[in-house]
Amino acid sequence: MSGSEKTILVRYFAMFREHAGVGEETLSLNAATAKDVFEQTRLRHGSKEPNGHCKVAINDEMADWSSPVEDGDTVLLFPPVAGG
Amino acid sequence: MSGSEKTILVRYFAMFREHAGVGEETLSLNAATAKDVFEQTRLRHGSKEPNGHCKVAINDEMADWSSPVEDGDTVLLFPPVAGG
Amino acid sequence: MIEVTSAVIDAEKQKRALCNAGAGGYCSFEGWVRNENDGRLVNRLEYEAYEPLVIAEGKKVLAEALQRFPYLEARCVHRTGLLEIGDLAVWVGVASAHRDEAFKACRYIIDELKMRLPIWKKEHYADGDSGWVNCERCAAHDQR
Amino acid sequence: MIEVTSAVIDAEKQKRALCNAGAGGYCSFEGWVRNENDGRLVNRLEYEAYEPLVIAEGKKVLAEALQRFPYLEARCVHRTGLLEIGDLAVWVGVASAHRDEAFKACRYIIDELKMRLPIWKKEHYADGDSGWVNCERCAAHDQR
């Protein structure tokens, strides 16, 4: 994990938004990857959802949990999808 | 093959009707099975279509080529189908 | 329900007749008259059907599909007469609880209808010629 | 073409946009809101979508389907907001020269859309409870 604090805009959808109580928030995080962001927001909001069936996007591009996050990024946290 | 003459109403469809020049005709045939009826009408109208992909019905029930025909039956001769 | 008609098929009306509060998936197939067959330009098609046996055999097909892929509702309509490019010749609709049965039943129905129903199609070509179309699948069907 | 809308989906209008003189087969799938899920009575559903990525991911799915099952035309529309029993939630339509590609492409598209698009569904039950539905297929998808 990178040692520097990064400013990340985190956006929550569906179940995650209800857990967080907000649609988005700007956080200062010590996070190197999308996974780090997910886990720190999970701690923050007391959510227990594992990331297994969830998806993540960075700056409107679908990403992997191992994708690096940069200062100023927007990270979108998607709970399990259920379209149709 | 039965030796007695039978009166059979033969109905022709699609290509068969065009070959026969009529939609139906009543024939006196020396025929035991649907196959016999088919072959005798084929001779009569000079058609060369084999029965392989054709179908036959007797009195509005789908039948086999080996199905027996009786005096007074209606035999329906169906060329290869092509619905849809 | 299977129907033969010389009138334009109203697909929306047919679909509405399949409404079922337990249905989560609906699959439909439509056969459209296209402008080409086996490399020849087609201007229009003429369909002929022997209705009593289309209905009888069509009911068997719907019952077989129901046994294999339990659906909630299914309907089929086949048109007869002279049709132009783009016209709807056959419509099949299936509604079921989940999508898997809807897709599979719909496919089963149209495949069997095309092989088994006494319906014939005459193609009228751009060059003025015309010809009855033989079922491409009959050979495969006979060998089953 | 993929679209997200909070308005009622006009399936007939969508279908007309697929017209193609070379098309002989058309297959469509519709997802309807049904009155039951996992044994619980459902009164209505609420759909939420993240449109920018629904569009981006939907375009990828349509392109993949085209490569696998060459079709002539395909469209998809997904609705958002509060839907009642019987309402049309998602519509997929595919037109192709022959029916095989139409069926297979349509099935591929709806299967992938359901697994990959950022769309969520909240069920409102007859007993007053409500809950977000987790994708039944996600586990299978992750293991591919």
Side-chain angles (χ1 to χ4, degrees), chain D residues 40-96:
Chain D
R40 297 186 74 174
L41 277 179
V42 173
N43 276 354
R44 60 187 63 83
L45 283 184
E46 202 179 330
Y47 284 91
E48 173 178 338
Y50 182 58
E51 187 165 338
L53 283 179
V54 167
I55 303 298
E57 197 70 5
K59 280 181 182 169
K60 281 187 209 167
V61 169
L62 293 178
E64 289 163 17
L66 182 62
Q67 261 206 326
R68 282 163 211 240
F69 314 108
Y71 58 73
L72 295 170
E73 312 279 348
R75 297 173 77 86
C76 173
V77 190
H78 206 300
R79 198 168 161 199
T80 55
L82 206 59
L83 274 72
E84 305 289 328
I85 306 303
D87 280 353
L88 174 52
V90 58
W91 176 92
V92 178
V94 178
S96 59

Side-chain angles (χ1 to χ4, degrees), chain C residues 86-98:
Chain C
D87 281 353
L88 174 52
V90 59
W91 177 92
V92 178
V94 178
S96 58
H98 301 281

Side-chain angles (χ1 to χ4, degrees), chain B:
Chain B
M1 191 184 290
S2 140
S4 59
E5 290 268 308
K6 291 165 185 169
T7 301
I8 307 282
L9 173 61
V10 183
R11 296 189 61 182
Y12 304 102
F13 293 86
M15 186 174 61
F16 287 166
R17 188 187 55 249
E18 293 186 355
H19 285 168
V22 292
E24 59 180 63
E25 55 188 353
T26 302
L27 301 173
S28 285
L29 298 174
N30 204 328
T33 65
K35 180 89 181 291
D36 296 336
V37 174
F38 180 75
E39 294 196 335
Q40 288 176 43
T41 60
R42 208 154 60 118
L43 278 172
R44 180 178 169 84
H45 299 295
S47 162
K48 287 185 177 58
E49 187 71 19
N51 72 335
H53 298 160
C54 304
K55 293 178 199 291
V56 64
I58 301 175
N59 305 328
D60 275 359
E61 296 275 353
M62 293 306 298
D64 295 318
W65 291 112
S66 61
S67 299
V69 290
E70 307 295 337
D71 187 57
D73 277 353
T74 297
V75 173
L76 310 162
L77 296 178
F78 297 152
V81 300

Side-chain angles (χ1 to χ4, degrees), chain C:
Chain C
M1 210 292 303
I2 174 148
E3 189 184 335
V4 175
T5 178
S6 60
V8 172
I9 299 171
D10 184 340
E12 271 296 300
K13 190 180 144 198
Q14 292 295 330
K15 184 175 78 177
R16 280 194 300 272
L18 295 178
C19 280
N20 184 308
Y26 163 78
C27 180
S28 77
F29 176 79
E30 299 187 3
W32 297 349
V33 176
R34 68 196 177 100
N35 60 3
E36 185 267 337
N37 194 25
D38 273 337
R40 297 185 75 175
L41 278 179
V42 173
N43 276 355
R44 61 187 62 82
L45 283 185
E46 204 179 329
Y47 283 92
E48 174 178 339
Y50 182 58
E51 187 165 336
L53 284 179
V54 166
I55 303 297
E57 196 71 5
K59 282 181 181 169
K60 282 188 207 164
V61 168
L62 292 178
E64 290 164 17
L66 183 62
Q67 262 206 324
R68 281 161 211 239
F69 314 107
Y71 58 73
L72 294 170
E73 313 279 347
R75 297 173 77 85
C76 172
V77 190
H78 206 300
R79 197 169 161 199
T80 55
L82 206 59
L83 275 72
E84 305 290 328
I85 307 304
D87 281 353
L88 174 52
V90 59
W91 177 92
V92 178
V94 178
S96 58
H98 301 281
R99 70 185 180 282
D100 192 53
E101 310 96 69
F103 270 103
K104 288 179 177 164
C106 188
R107 181 71 196 257
Y108 180 85
I109 291 167
I110 186 66
D111 284 357
E112 294 294 314
L113 293 184
K114 282 191 175 239
M115 287 191 295
R116 293 161 53 178
L117 263 50
I119 296 179
W120 302 275
K121 181 155 78 175
K122 191 178 200 174
E123 290 176 338
H124 294 268
Y125 305 106
D127 61 16
D129 201 6
S130 69
W132 293 98
V133 180
N134 287 3
C135 170
E136 42 182 335
R137 299 290 174 83
C138 288
H141 188 58
D142 286 350
Q143 283 154 21
R144 285 198 306 195

Side-chain angles (χ1 to χ4, degrees), chain A residues 22-81:
Chain A
V22 292
E24 59 179 66
E25 56 189 351
T26 301
L27 301 173
S28 284
L29 298 174
N30 205 327
T33 65
K35 181 90 181 287
D36 297 335
V37 174
F38 180 75
E39 294 196 333
Q40 290 177 43
T41 61
R42 207 153 60 116
L43 278 173
R44 181 179 169 84
H45 299 296
S47 162
K48 288 186 177 57
E49 186 70 17
N51 72 336
H53 298 161
C54 304
K55 294 179 198 292
V56 63
I58 302 175
N59 305 328
D60 274 358
E61 295 276 351
M62 293 305 299
D64 294 318
W65 291 113
S66 61
S67 299
V69 291
E70 307 295 336
D71 187 57
D73 276 354
T74 297
V75 173
L76 309 162
L77 296 178
F78 296 151
V81 300

